[in-house]
Amino acid sequence: MPWRRTWVCPHCFRSISRTRIAYVCVSGAAACADDRGLASAAPRAGSAVCGTCGRTTTRLRCTACAGRLPEGYLRTPGKLVALAGPVSSGKSTYIGVLVHELLHRLGAELDAALLPCDDDTMADYHERYERHLYEEQHTVPKTAEHDAGRPLVHRLSRTRRGRFGRARKRVLTLVFLDTAGEHFTSRDRIETQLRYFAAADAVVVLVDPQDLPGAPVKNGDGVPGRSGEVLARVLGHLGGGRKVTVPVAVALTKADLLWPHLPGNSPLHSTRRPGPVFDADDRAAVHAELQALLRRWQEHQLDARLDQFCTDYQLFALSTLGTAPRHGGGLGLGGIVRPHRVEDPLMWLLHRFGALDRGRG
């Protein structure tokens, strides 16, 4: 594979060349931080020796933000997937549940490996998401503007066998920038958000059905029109005035609120067929059902906007918790997270990037 000239840092989303990439000592000692030997070593060498302590390291960092680059990132950066959605869409809960599912269920089902970028990503995920959901059995606290932390960077890799038995490795770089959604007061954060979407090879946009005035659900935290505004802003960032060419997955969250209003044979009640296979029939049925629902709710503008400004998009419906949380934020269903179709947008993207087998249809 030819050596690239530039990469996108998955932490600050700047375009960086090899001159903006440096080794970092595995010791973590302050005395080694500015070691000249590490700073001048060629990234393509694969390793370097710290002139201060003499230890060998393979760890690389972006000198623009000091963020550590994932192992193997320079050789196989993968497709960068971004996430967007208003505060009420449950973005933080979605991150917490999706990563947990990939680590504990989906990874084995897909024969795929999910690896955090570094120890910071592991610690941040546990403290900001996993602890609340799976230990305290409570919803993830809303992200306040001043609480927005480092992006969570994970690498999802899967080896697919081709027609002639050739092994092909496919990688998605999942970068979750959990911000307070539409509330940005810092110019630096606005610029970071713009770089985030500009660097994306695909994007998942979460929509709160309570934001859709025509949807037959109780209006709680949703604000009419807010999800549509965030979607329009994301499409504007992605397209820059032109048609968006990267895949866009638009997912209605809190599908459990919709279930009582749907017929028993609605595809939104069904579950995905297990396995590392893309089921085209199921995907088409869910997409068509959501298009019909948007028309029934007189929300055709949402689908029309996607059709007009996107070359490749799909509609999804998912429930991250399986039921609405109790008053005060405690989880329902005995305090157990029971997600429904949270992986569907990711499965579609894996298919779009050639990492899944194709099922019937």
Side-chain angles (χ1 to χ4, degrees), residues 23 36 113 361:
Y23 285 96
R36 293 183 179 180

Side-chain angles (χ1 to χ4, degrees), residues 215-226:
V217 292
K218 181 180 179 181
N219 192 298
D221 294 332
V223 176
R226 180 161 59 182

Side-chain angles (χ1 to χ4, degrees), residues 323-341:
T323 189
R326 300 193 305 269
H327 180 71
L331 302 185
L333 296 174
I336 300 174
V337 177
R338 302 180 188 272
H340 178 78
R341 287 189 175 267

Side-chain angles (χ1 to χ4, degrees), residues 223-246:
V223 176
R226 180 161 59 182
S227 286
E229 292 173 4
V230 172
L231 176 61
R233 190 173 303 150
V234 169
L235 295 180
H237 292 344
L238 290 169
R242 298 180 294 275
K243 204 156 187 174
V244 176
T245 57
V246 302

Side-chain angles (χ1 to χ4, degrees), residues 77-357:
K79 300 292 187 179
L80 192 150
V81 179
L83 178 70
V87 173
S88 62
S89 64
K91 191 161 70 270
S92 297
T93 302
Y94 179 74
I95 293 171
V97 173
L98 179 61
V99 172
H100 188 272
E101 289 292 292
L102 286 168
L103 288 172
H104 298 278
R105 179 179 66 86
L106 281 169
E109 180 185 323
L110 302 177
D111 193 22
L114 183 74
L115 295 176
C117 171
D118 53 26
D119 292 342
D120 287 338
T121 286
M122 294 177 64
D124 286 351
Y125 169 69
H126 175 76
E127 182 62 26
R128 289 158 57 186
Y129 307 97
E130 188 177 42
R131 176 174 63 84
H132 298 287
L133 287 166
Y134 298 96
E135 295 178 8
E136 300 175 0
Q137 299 180 330
H138 197 279
T139 55
V140 179
K142 289 184 179 179
T143 306
E145 176 65 15
H146 62 276
D147 288 335
R150 294 180 296 257
L152 293 186
V153 183
H154 288 86
R155 300 258 286 168
L156 180 66
S157 61
R158 182 173 188 270
T159 300
R160 177 186 177 187
R161 295 288 174 180
R163 288 184 179 179
F164 305 104
R166 294 178 181 175
R168 294 185 176 182
K169 186 177 181 180
R170 293 290 185 267
V171 178
L172 292 188
T173 302
L174 304 177
V175 182
F176 299 128
L177 179 63
D178 195 4
T179 67
E182 61 275 30
H183 302 304
F184 283 89
T185 57
S186 164
R187 180 177 180 84
D188 288 342
R189 290 185 180 177
I190 293 174
E191 291 177 351
T192 299
Q193 184 193 40
L194 289 173
R195 291 196 303 268
Y196 180 52
F197 292 120
D201 296 294
V203 65
V204 178
V205 183
L206 302 183
V207 172
D208 183 355
Q210 296 176 118
D211 291 354
L212 308 178
V217 292
K218 181 180 179 181
N219 192 298
D221 294 332
V223 176
R226 180 161 59 182
S227 286
E229 292 173 4
V230 172
L231 176 61
R233 190 173 303 150
V234 169
L235 295 180
H237 292 344
L238 290 169
R242 298 180 294 275
K243 204 156 187 174
V244 176
T245 57
V246 302
V248 178
V250 177
L252 268 67
T253 58
K254 308 173 186 176
D256 50 281
L257 299 179
L258 301 174
W259 291 338
H261 306 281
L262 300 175
N265 63 351
S266 170
L268 303 193
H269 287 301
S270 65
T271 56
R272 179 184 60 84
R273 183 169 54 140
V277 175
F278 178 72
D279 190 333
D281 288 347
D282 174 73
R283 177 83 294 272
V286 171
H287 181 79
E289 173 83 344
L290 287 166
Q291 285 183 311
L293 287 174
L294 289 174
R295 288 194 295 268
R296 187 183 310 165
W297 301 337
Q298 297 184 343
E299 295 290 343
H300 57 278
Q301 267 298 315
L302 191 149
D303 189 49
R305 180 179 289 153
L306 289 166
D307 187 59
Q308 182 177 355
F309 292 105
C310 300
T311 61
D312 188 13
Y313 78 96
Q314 287 283 293
L315 298 171
F316 300 83
L318 56 90
S319 174
T320 51
L321 300 177
T323 189
R326 300 193 305 269
H327 180 71
L331 302 185
L333 296 174
I336 300 174
V337 177
R338 302 180 188 272
H340 178 78
R341 287 189 175 267
V342 293
E343 72 274 19
D344 277 16
L346 189 60
M347 292 291 289
W348 175 61
L349 293 176
L350 285 169
H351 166 69
R352 282 289 289 101
F353 295 131
L356 291 181
D357 301 324

